[in-house]
Amino acid sequence: MRNPISGVGNGSTEPHERTGLLGYLQGSDSPPPYEDERAWVKWPSHFVHKVYQTLASNYVNILLVFVPLGIIAGATGWSPTAVFILNFFAIIPLAALLSFATEEISVKLGQTLGGLMNATFGNAVELIVSIVALKNGEIRIVQSSMLGSILSNILLVLGCCFLAGGIKNHEQKFNDTVASTMSSMMAVASASLIIPATLYSTLKSGDSNVGTHDEILILSHGTAVILLILYVMYIFFQLKTHTELFDEVNQEEQGGDAEEEEHILSPWAAGVALVLVTILVAVCAEYLVDSIDSIVQSAHISKTFIGLVLLPIVGNAAEHVTAVVVSMKNKMDLAIGVAIGSSMQIALLVTPFLVILGWIIGQPMTLHFETFETVVFFVSVLVMNYLISDGKSNYLEGAMLLGMYIIIALAFYVYPDDAGHIGGQMLSGVANLFHH
């Protein structure tokens, strides 16, 4: 996902990295066919050349062979395991292409519109998968995939950045004001999950349980609207009223991109590519989500684990690589912008949007997560805030974040989908203590 601060997105790379594969594949000194003066030679050759450049822009595009296989497997009724695995690997390169097309468009729009567009499309894969799941009534998949995307960014991605950058650069510094602003927004997001969970337990501990779900829905709808307003205010704060706070980040970005990057696609071509890739992602996501129930039964893996650990890998793989690469180049502000900025957009933009969408289409999507998930989210945000508060990072802090992510992944691997009532009873007990 691309963050308005950094200009770095899913599948985005530095100039030398993106053009590296192209450099290996370009050849002879003779004029290429796409420069021919004859229109019937020039335009077909130009189209083929642009497709070739786009596909050669990222090594992960090799996985595009799984796209037709995944669609064929889903359409012809292959085993659910095959359908899940093929579409799982198909969405990874599509996510990279989606980010590539978004970057090609946003560079022509300027910082403000470009930042807003990347905020919208940066998490498109997670959003599409979640919309499909929401349409099918898979509320648990939607909630766990949102939480998983946040945790993978603030623990896994940030941990890899601190670890890789710390090994190479000993100790790294970043703009602690920007990081503090982002972490404060994440604290608000965590509170928006704690309050519905606490209210639900308090209501359940009372004498009457009538209307509890309706009250949680009302609270979730109101909270979602407020979170969306807060996110819009943050964008305005960042790009308009307090740009001086982010000047250091922007200057570093400009310094790192001193060599002008040649953009491959025109805005119209990138727009067409964006539409086509989005359609393919939607098709693959449909087959992926439809196969989840069978995978849960045959592989004995909970829906929570699939949504929290496996699905975020699909949407964030290219972004993970980008963040680690820029951190090794000692550009920690960019890495922070990718990791925490992505989590913030999921928490304050995508998740509230899905709650509102569920309201519109009649699906009871709420901000009431299971107690265990809410506690895990809160503790993760708390640890992240502690580690970034001093504006410095090293490999030990990275190892702490990675260790915590692995512990959480193991916990959710053994966490059954029907365990929520246990946590609810436990939290109800705590609420009763306060009542007395």
Side-chain angles (χ1 to χ4, degrees), residues 74 78-88 91 125-126 128-134 136-146 283-312 314 417:
W78 291 13
S79 71
T81 302
V83 172
F84 181 86
I85 292 175
L86 290 174
N87 284 285
F88 181 88
I91 293 179
V125 172
E126 293 96 327
I128 292 171
V129 172
S130 296
I131 289 174
V132 172
L134 184 63
N136 295 345
E138 297 281 4
I139 306 295
R140 292 295 302 135
I141 292 293
V142 177
Q143 290 183 325
S144 57
S145 64
M146 291 297 98
V283 173
C284 292
E286 182 79 40
Y287 291 133
L288 182 76
V289 172
D290 287 344
S291 66
I292 285 178
D293 282 335
S294 298
I295 289 291
V296 168
Q297 295 178 1
S298 62
H300 304 291
I301 300 175
S302 68
K303 288 184 180 180
T304 304
F305 181 79
I306 290 175
L308 192 121
V309 178
L310 298 183
L311 293 186
V314 172
D417 286 325

Side-chain angles (χ1 to χ4, degrees), residues 319-342:
E319 176 185 37
H320 292 185
V321 175
T322 299
V324 173
V325 168
V326 297
S327 68
M328 292 180 68
K329 295 184 176 182
N330 205 25
K331 299 177 181 178
M332 285 306 296
D333 285 312
L334 302 186
I336 293 288
V338 171
I340 305 180
S342 175

Side-chain angles (χ1 to χ4, degrees), residues 157-176 179 323 326-328 330-336 340 384 386-401:
V157 180
L158 195 61
C160 288
C161 290
F162 285 0
L163 182 64
I167 291 175
K168 185 173 182 180
N169 299 286
H170 188 65
E171 184 177 75
Q172 296 176 289
K173 297 181 179 180
F174 49 86
N175 188 327
D176 56 343
V326 297
S327 68
M328 292 180 68
N330 205 25
K331 299 177 181 178
M332 285 306 296
D333 285 312
L334 302 186
I336 293 288
I340 305 180
M384 178 203 69
Y386 275 131
L387 294 182
I388 68 174
S389 60
D390 61 350
K392 300 176 183 178
S393 66
N394 53 61
Y395 72 88
L396 181 59
E397 292 181 345
M400 293 178 194
L401 291 172

Side-chain angles (χ1 to χ4, degrees), residues 8-9 11-15 17-19 57-58 103 257 261 321-322:
V8 177
S12 69
T13 50
E14 297 298 297
E17 297 156 42
R18 175 185 284 181
T19 57
S57 64
N58 198 320
E103 291 163 18
D257 295 339
E261 181 178 352
V321 175
T322 299

Side-chain angles (χ1 to χ4, degrees), residues 6 36 53 61 160 207 220 252 293 297 306 330 393 398 422:
S6 65
D36 197 295
Q53 284 186 304
N61 289 336
C160 288
D207 295 332
S220 297
E252 180 181 344
D293 282 335
Q297 295 178 1
I306 290 175
N330 205 25
S393 66
I422 300 174

Side-chain angles (χ1 to χ4, degrees), residues 40-266:
W40 61 275
V41 174
K42 176 180 179 180
W43 292 112
S45 300
H46 179 77
F47 173 77
V48 172
H49 178 65
K50 290 301 179 183
V51 171
Y52 163 76
Q53 284 186 304
T54 301
L55 296 180
S57 64
N58 198 320
Y59 291 99
V60 77
N61 289 336
I62 294 173
L63 296 177
L64 284 170
V65 296
F66 287 102
V67 174
L69 290 176
I71 294 175
I72 292 171
T76 57
W78 291 13
S79 71
T81 302
V83 172
F84 181 86
I85 292 175
L86 290 174
N87 284 285
F88 181 88
F89 284 106
I91 293 179
I92 293 176
L94 291 176
L97 284 177
L98 201 62
S99 300
F100 174 82
T102 304
E103 291 163 18
E104 296 292 302
I105 295 178
S106 62
V107 73
K108 304 292 184 182
L109 300 178
Q111 183 187 27
T112 303
L113 291 178
L116 290 174
M117 184 168 184
N118 279 279
T120 304
F121 288 99
N123 282 312
V125 172
E126 293 96 327
L127 184 60
I128 292 171
V129 172
S130 296
I131 289 174
V132 172
L134 184 63
K135 178 178 64 72
N136 295 345
E138 297 281 4
I139 306 295
R140 292 295 302 135
I141 292 293
V142 177
Q143 290 183 325
S144 57
S145 64
M146 291 297 98
L147 180 61
S149 293
I150 295 171
L151 294 180
S152 69
N153 277 290
I154 64 175
L155 297 179
L156 180 61
V157 180
L158 195 61
C160 288
C161 290
F162 285 0
L163 182 64
I167 291 175
K168 185 173 182 180
N169 299 286
H170 188 65
E171 184 177 75
Q172 296 176 289
K173 297 181 179 180
F174 49 86
N175 188 327
D176 56 343
T177 303
V178 173
S180 176
T181 302
M182 288 184 176
S183 62
S184 298
M185 296 291 282
M186 287 301 299
V188 172
S190 66
S192 71
L193 298 189
I194 293 173
I195 292 172
T198 307
L199 176 63
Y200 179 82
S201 297
T202 303
L203 293 174
K204 293 290 284 184
S205 67
D207 295 332
S208 174
N209 293 330
V210 178
T212 298
H213 187 68
D214 292 338
E215 290 161 346
I216 295 298
L217 270 177
I218 294 172
L219 173 63
S220 297
H221 295 159
T223 303
V225 173
I226 293 171
L227 291 178
L228 288 172
I229 293 173
L230 284 176
Y231 183 75
V232 172
M233 291 180 67
Y234 171 77
I235 294 296
F236 189 75
F237 175 88
Q238 178 191 49
L239 300 179
K240 286 293 184 182
T241 61
H242 288 70
T243 54
E244 69 278 0
L245 295 177
F246 304 92
D247 281 345
E248 181 180 337
V249 180
N250 293 330
Q251 289 169 7
E252 180 181 344
E253 178 190 353
Q254 292 167 4
D257 295 339
E259 180 182 341
E260 183 68 23
E261 181 178 352
E262 179 184 356
H263 290 275
I264 296 172
L265 301 179
S266 67

